[in-house]
Amino acid sequence: MLQPPYPELDNLLEMMGEAGKRLSEIEASEGAAGNISVYLQWPVELRTRFPLVEPIVLPQPVPKLAGETFLVTGSGRRLREIIDEPVASIGCIVVDEGGETGKLFTSHQRRFERLTSEFNSHLAVHYDQIVASGTNFHAIIHAQPPHLTYLSHVPRYQAENYLNTHLLRWQPETIINLPEGIGFVPFAIPSSPELMDATLKSLRQHRIVVWAKHGVMARSDVSVKRAADRVEYAETAAKYEYLNLSAGEIGEGLSPDEIRAICTTFKVQQKIF
Ligand SMILES: [Zn+2]
């Protein structure tokens, strides 16, 4: 939930660009992998930057969001290039009355045919979160950080408890930034209703979820860069775990007692350790 003054369209485009650049720097968005979407409840002037308008059918009805706005990356666009020319990579949707259709605003510089094919999962999670919490802002990122994705191929890390007790033990900040831990969704075909449904449920309990053998989805109701930070915290934790496996598991990690003491000091509520 944001308090006024609300960010302007240009600030939001800039933050999407910075998040995309950072995800690229940590190698979580090779080629055109990854996508970003942002929901805002307050009205913004779109036509100056996005003068072309066409009708679209939304992947699911969102009747409570009539008149409200989404900024969404285009299919096949590179997250690292958003920062240079955001209007080439992003489309804006304003939801119509009834919530089944919308208007897609794009630029003359538009370099995509359709919005990201993962928009069904993005929209389902946005709607679930917005209706449950009443937030006026919500950002979602899908990225493919390699260490985290690699560990999701190893059977023992496919159990949520094992994944979290092993990844959240390498730095004191990890439990502070991810107090609900990392959700885990078993492999499902990209863009499928199964993936959408499992993601929506896991993101009710977590701020980031691993899609087995694929990547992650992270959310924030504060900023798009905060969602990118969550990807980075989880990927850094996975990198330590990978280093430890490579070194023959000689690292101790923080003990459960040490992590509980950190949580007491910093007043972090958690149920993992
Ligand atoms: Zn992907």
Side-chain angles (χ1 to χ4, degrees), residues 33-35 118 142-144 211 214:
N35 32 70
E118 302 288 5
H142 163 55
Q144 302 184 174
W211 287 350
H214 182 169

Side-chain angles (χ1 to χ4, degrees), residues 92-118:
C92 312
I93 297 170
V94 177
V95 178
D96 288 335
E97 224 31 67
E100 292 188 5
T101 57
K103 304 224 168 12
L104 175 63
F105 291 76
T106 55
S107 156
H108 291 290
Q109 280 78 45
R110 164 179 176 172
R111 281 199 221 109
F112 56 91
E113 287 266 314
R114 292 175 307 281
L115 296 175
T116 170
S117 59
E118 302 288 5

Side-chain angles (χ1 to χ4, degrees), residues 3-269:
Q3 304 301 326
Y6 299 125
E8 306 275 348
L9 179 62
D10 281 352
N11 302 130
L12 293 164
L13 296 176
E14 195 180 320
M15 282 195 271
M16 289 173 82
E18 287 175 5
K21 179 167 169 268
R22 186 63 194 146
L23 291 165
S24 176
E25 285 168 355
I26 66 165
E27 302 184 334
S29 69
E30 73 279 11
N35 32 70
I36 302 177
S37 69
V38 171
Y39 159 79
L40 37 146
Q41 202 169 60
W42 60 91
V44 283
E45 199 282 308
L46 297 173
R47 290 227 179 217
T48 308
R49 291 196 164 277
F50 300 97
L52 307 176
V53 189
E54 64 192 272
I56 58 158
V57 175
L58 297 176
Q60 70 165 67
V62 289
K64 293 183 178 163
L65 307 186
E68 295 167 6
T69 306
F70 290 91
L71 313 180
V72 186
T73 53
S75 179
R77 298 311 308 151
R78 300 174 188 90
L79 296 190
R80 63 182 174 276
E81 292 179 351
I82 297 173
I83 197 161
D84 299 323
E85 201 181 10
V87 297
S89 300
I90 292 170
C92 312
I93 297 170
V94 177
V95 178
D96 288 335
E97 224 31 67
E100 292 188 5
T101 57
K103 304 224 168 12
L104 175 63
F105 291 76
T106 55
S107 156
H108 291 290
Q109 280 78 45
R110 164 179 176 172
R111 281 199 221 109
F112 56 91
E113 287 266 314
R114 292 175 307 281
L115 296 175
T116 170
S117 59
E118 302 288 5
F119 186 54
N120 65 335
S121 289
H122 284 246
L123 186 63
V125 173
H126 280 301
Y127 197 52
D128 192 61
Q129 290 289 326
I130 295 160
V131 169
S133 73
T135 185
N136 60 2
F137 176 89
H138 200 246
I140 294 180
I141 289 174
H142 163 55
Q144 302 184 174
H147 296 86
L148 205 44
T149 306
Y150 171 68
L151 291 180
S152 79
H153 287 264
V154 180
R156 63 183 191 262
Y157 292 93
Q158 293 165 0
E160 214 164 84
N161 187 53
Y162 190 95
L163 177 78
N164 280 289
T165 50
H166 286 75
L167 266 58
L168 272 59
R169 63 183 168 146
W170 297 111
Q171 286 184 328
E173 288 89 344
T174 318
I175 189 76
I176 297 170
N177 287 296
L178 302 172
E180 306 90 353
I182 301 164
F184 185 88
V185 166
F187 178 75
I189 300 291
S191 312
S192 64
E194 292 74 25
L195 181 61
M196 183 183 86
D197 194 52
T199 303
L200 178 155
K201 289 188 177 125
S202 184
L203 284 176
R204 284 178 186 161
Q205 260 105 51
H206 306 94
R207 303 178 205 191
I208 180 165
V209 59
V210 175
W211 287 350
K213 308 179 185 180
H214 182 169
V216 297
M217 183 171 265
R219 65 175 177 82
S220 168
D221 56 11
V222 175
S223 85
V224 66
K225 285 166 77 173
R226 196 74 69 93
D229 287 345
R230 289 188 178 134
V231 177
E232 193 171 357
Y233 288 125
E235 170 61 359
T236 301
K239 203 181 211 173
Y240 275 105
E241 183 66 14
Y242 177 83
L243 277 175
N244 194 46
L245 292 175
S246 308
E249 303 199 60
I250 55 175
E252 278 188 324
L254 293 158
S255 69
D257 277 345
E258 287 167 337
I259 294 175
R260 284 191 287 268
I262 292 163
C263 292
T264 305
T265 304
F266 291 92
K267 299 188 172 50
V268 174
Q269 304 275 346

